[in-house]
């Protein structure tokens, strides 16, 4: 079970859109539609932003959207705002009642 | 509203056993379709799933940690616990207790996290 692969950093200006990728294998992201995304601000616990590839929990702005193609899931943040500046982690169900996370992407709002 | 709170020693010596407890308030560890989980984050690093205990009592662990981990629960006290044996400095991390909804593989509820340092 290897960690999912995310780019270490991403950036965009306020109002722009940015997409963060998360690449797995045919044993996790490629097999199951259980990709999730988390936002984490410094010193805080992560917060669920997307589950089941493209569903948003109550209270998460619709500026956040998810998608998946093959072994890669993506998180798009549209209309970037200052408060979106945070670390983002993806996760996936990996079979056998196991879970795997990505290494995280630091999103900087310029 | 369900809340989770980690507790336990903040300092553990190498080769010893790390023990943490998560107190669940506003809900029950033995009811509902949930997985009660431990997740850790090494300093400056990403998240790592350690394992979880299903509301039914079944346990599942990260294969890379399986030989050193035990997750258990105390239904009378409404808590679940983590034991990690033979710790090294690589086990220094913030440890989060968390809850997943059965069938969604998504962590919808997190504790605030507790830093455990492994050092002599």
């Amino acid at each position: 079970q290897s960690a999912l692969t995310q780019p270490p950093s991403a950036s965009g200006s306020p109002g722009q859109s940015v997409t963060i990728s998360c690449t797995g294998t045919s044993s996790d992201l490629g097999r199951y539609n259980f990709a999730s995304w988390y936002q984490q601000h410094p010193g805080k616990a992560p917060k669920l932003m997307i589950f089941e590839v493209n569903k948003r929990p109550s209270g998460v702005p619709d500026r956040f959207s998810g998608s998946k193609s093959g072994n890669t899931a993506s998180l798009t943040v549209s209309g970037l705002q200052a408060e979106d500046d945070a670390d983002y982690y993806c996760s996936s169900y990996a079979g056998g009642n196991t879970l795997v996370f990505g290494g995280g992407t630091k999103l900087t709002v310029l | 509203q369900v809340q989770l709170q980690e507790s336990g020693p903040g300092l553990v010596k190498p080769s010893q056993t790390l023990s943490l407890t998560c107190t669940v308030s506003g809900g029950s560890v033995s009811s509902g379709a949930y997985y009660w989980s431990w997740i850790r984050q090494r300093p400056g690093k990403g998240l790592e799933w350690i394992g979880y205990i299903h509301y039914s009592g079944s346990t599942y662990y990260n294969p890379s940690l399986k030989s050193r981990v035990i997750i258990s629960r105390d239904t009378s006290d409404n808590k679940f616990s983590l034991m990690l044996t033979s710790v090294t400095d690589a086990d220094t991390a913030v440890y989060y207790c968390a809850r997943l909804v059965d069938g969604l593989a998504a962590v919808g509820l997190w504790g605030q996290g507790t830093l455990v340092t492994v050092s002599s």
Side-chain angles (χ1 to χ4, degrees):
Chain A
Q1 186 186 67
S2 299
L4 306 175
T5 300
Q6 297 181 236
S9 64
S11 63
S13 300
Q16 289 186 333
S17 293
V18 64
T19 296
I20 299 170
S21 64
C22 171
T23 301
T25 69
S26 58
S27 297
D28 39 62
L29 284 174
R31 179 170 294 183
Y32 304 102
N33 289 321
F34 289 118
S36 300
W37 290 91
Y38 303 87
Q39 177 191 66
Q40 186 180 37
H41 288 108
K44 300 293 187 181
K47 173 187 176 183
L48 180 65
M49 305 300 283
I50 296 287
F51 67 98
E52 286 189 312
V53 177
N54 56 16
K55 298 178 181 177
R56 284 186 308 276
S58 174
V60 172
D62 60 6
R63 302 185 294 104
F64 291 85
S65 62
S67 63
K68 194 192 83 164
S69 177
N71 297 342
T72 299
S74 299
L75 172 71
T76 297
V77 186
S78 305
L80 274 173
Q81 299 183 5
E83 59 261 36
D84 301 332
D85 194 298
D87 294 328
Y88 291 84
Y89 295 91
C90 60
S91 74
S92 176
Y93 181 68
N97 279 290
T98 64
L99 198 64
V100 63
F101 283 96
T105 298
K106 180 174 179 54
L107 173 60
T108 300
V109 180
L110 302 170
Chain B
Q1 183 178 354
V2 180
Q3 293 184 314
L4 307 177
Q5 178 65 61
E6 306 88 351
S7 61
L11 181 64
V12 181
K13 294 186 185 322
S15 80
Q16 294 192 341
T17 297
L18 180 159
S19 296
L20 295 173
T21 295
C22 183
T23 300
V24 180
S25 57
S28 171
V29 295
S30 57
S31 68
Y34 296 113
Y35 288 86
W36 303 92
S37 184
W38 289 96
I39 296 164
R40 71 180 182 181
Q41 186 169 32
R42 296 188 180 101
K45 301 297 183 182
L47 300 169
E48 180 179 26
W49 174 70
I50 298 171
Y52 36 52
I53 183 164
H54 192 236
Y55 76 100
S56 65
S58 299
T59 53
Y60 306 93
Y61 302 124
N62 185 324
S64 68
L65 297 170
K66 187 175 183 178
S67 63
R68 298 195 292 131
V69 174
I70 296 175
I71 294 175
S72 60
R73 64 178 182 175
D74 183 335
T75 55
S76 59
D77 272 352
N78 211 30
K79 298 177 180 178
F80 64 103
S81 299
L82 168 70
M83 289 180 57
L84 181 65
T85 63
S86 304
V87 297
T88 69
D89 56 2
D91 294 308
T92 293
V94 173
Y95 286 78
Y96 294 98
C97 61
R99 187 186 76 175
L100 292 78
V101 175
D102 194 352
L104 292 184
V107 184
L109 183 66
W110 299 75
Q112 67 183 25
T114 186
L115 174 63
V116 179
T117 301
V118 178
S119 175
S120 54

